[in-house]
Amino acid sequence: MALVTLDKRGRQAAASEPDRLYRELARKLLASLASGAYKVGDRLPAERELAADYAVSRPTVREAIIALEVQGLVEVRVGSGAYVRRLPGAGDIPGFNITAFELTEARLLFEGESAALAATQITDAEIAELEALVDEIADENRRAGGTEQADRAFHIAIARATRNTAVLNTVEELWRLRSTSPESALLHAKARTANVKPVVDEHTAVLDALRAHDPAAARAAMRAHLSAVLDSLLFATEERAIAEARQAAETKRARYAVTES
């Protein structure tokens, strides 16, 4: 029987919840840095080597490295690897926030259903608003150093079209976390630097399904779009071919594929 404990308010709490793998790996890497195994300026083993040494996936290695990068312990150089920037002190512990991978998984689940519900409620005026936002996304993509404000507005407008305040608040919060969680903000910035931008065709597919008032098609189009976002985040920190990144992404997508049945 599983051991159960109560918190200070008498609520049931799990006594031993399995830690996320990337957090466990981040702690191990931090301990390795603290032990003197590396000095400032040293390059950490390649991503694939760390994955093999610790028996974890390469996306798990990326998340762990990003957790250390946020603290200024390592510096990741595109196409070169991760280098020790400073050694941890006695007070250094990994600070874990929501990662870009976790956030995009949550968005895939919530925004897929948001699009499906919106397809049953959306008005012609809201369709016109989305059409204009798709054009703005294309404009932002053409501008050097452009923002992704139109992308955010597109997704928020769909949530608003559900006529469900809880859905709207949830989607707004997910987008807030995209920029306020250090790990998430860092990886999205890396993706932008790697010239990964919102794909107009993917947004157009969502718009077409909403215009047709087809919930199933809207859900599928939104999930396809956010699955592609997962791929792009992997690509942003990938040292090898995009094909390998997509293969790694399949493992993550398998976690929620059962929700389609």
Side-chain angles (χ1 to χ4, degrees):
M1 182 173 67
L3 178 64
V4 173
T5 60
L6 299 178
D7 63 16
K8 292 182 179 179
R9 295 186 180 182
R11 296 173 299 192
Q12 182 173 309
S16 57
E17 181 181 352
D19 204 358
R20 285 287 313 278
L21 276 178
Y22 90 92
R23 297 184 179 189
E24 181 181 345
L25 177 57
R27 292 188 181 99
K28 289 178 179 178
L29 292 175
L30 187 144
S32 183
L33 292 176
S35 72
Y38 303 95
K39 61 180 182 293
V40 173
D42 280 354
R43 182 185 185 276
L44 295 183
E47 184 181 278
R48 60 184 176 277
E49 294 177 44
L50 289 173
D53 289 346
Y54 290 96
V56 296
S57 69
R58 292 180 70 173
T60 295
V61 173
R62 292 186 198 115
E63 289 182 306
I65 293 295
I66 288 170
L68 298 183
E69 188 177 11
V70 164
Q71 289 187 267
L73 294 169
V74 302
E75 175 188 5
V76 177
R77 302 172 190 170
V78 177
S80 180
Y83 292 80
V84 179
R85 186 174 179 184
R86 70 175 179 87
L87 297 178
D92 274 309
I93 57 173
F96 299 118
N97 298 283
I98 294 175
T99 72
F101 296 109
E102 290 177 306
L103 182 62
T104 306
E105 286 181 334
R107 287 187 58 205
L108 191 151
L109 293 169
F110 283 100
E111 293 198 50
E113 296 310 309
S114 172
L117 181 56
T120 69
Q121 307 290 325
I122 200 161
T123 66
D124 289 344
E126 288 167 329
I127 290 293
E129 177 188 2
L130 292 176
E131 290 172 344
L133 286 170
V134 170
D135 289 339
E136 286 185 34
I137 290 172
D139 288 340
E140 286 184 342
N141 286 348
R142 285 190 288 268
R143 292 197 297 270
T147 67
E148 296 180 2
Q149 292 303 310
D151 184 22
R152 178 186 182 279
F154 179 89
H155 289 268
I156 297 300
I158 291 172
R160 188 176 298 110
T162 66
R163 307 290 184 269
N164 186 307
T165 303
V167 171
L168 174 59
N169 289 347
T170 299
V171 173
E172 286 181 329
E173 175 64 9
L174 290 173
W175 274 85
R176 186 190 69 80
L177 289 169
R178 187 180 187 272
S179 59
T180 58
S181 171
E183 285 92 333
S184 179
L186 178 61
L187 187 49
H188 280 289
K190 287 178 179 289
R192 191 75 184 184
T193 300
N195 206 33
V196 175
K197 300 177 180 179
V199 178
V200 172
D201 287 349
E202 293 170 8
H203 290 79
T204 299
V206 175
L207 172 59
D208 288 343
L210 292 170
R211 187 185 290 110
H213 298 283
D214 186 334
R219 179 188 295 111
M222 182 64 80
R223 289 175 68 90
H225 163 50
L226 292 171
S227 291
V229 171
L230 269 177
D231 283 348
S232 72
L233 291 174
L234 290 168
F235 173 70
T237 53
E238 182 57 72
E239 295 178 358
R240 299 175 66 183
I242 183 61
E244 186 172 348
R246 285 178 174 162
Q247 183 177 0
E250 287 297 330
T251 302
K252 282 190 172 290
R253 282 201 290 270
R255 289 176 50 189
Y256 42 73
V258 292
T259 63
E260 291 295 284
S261 59

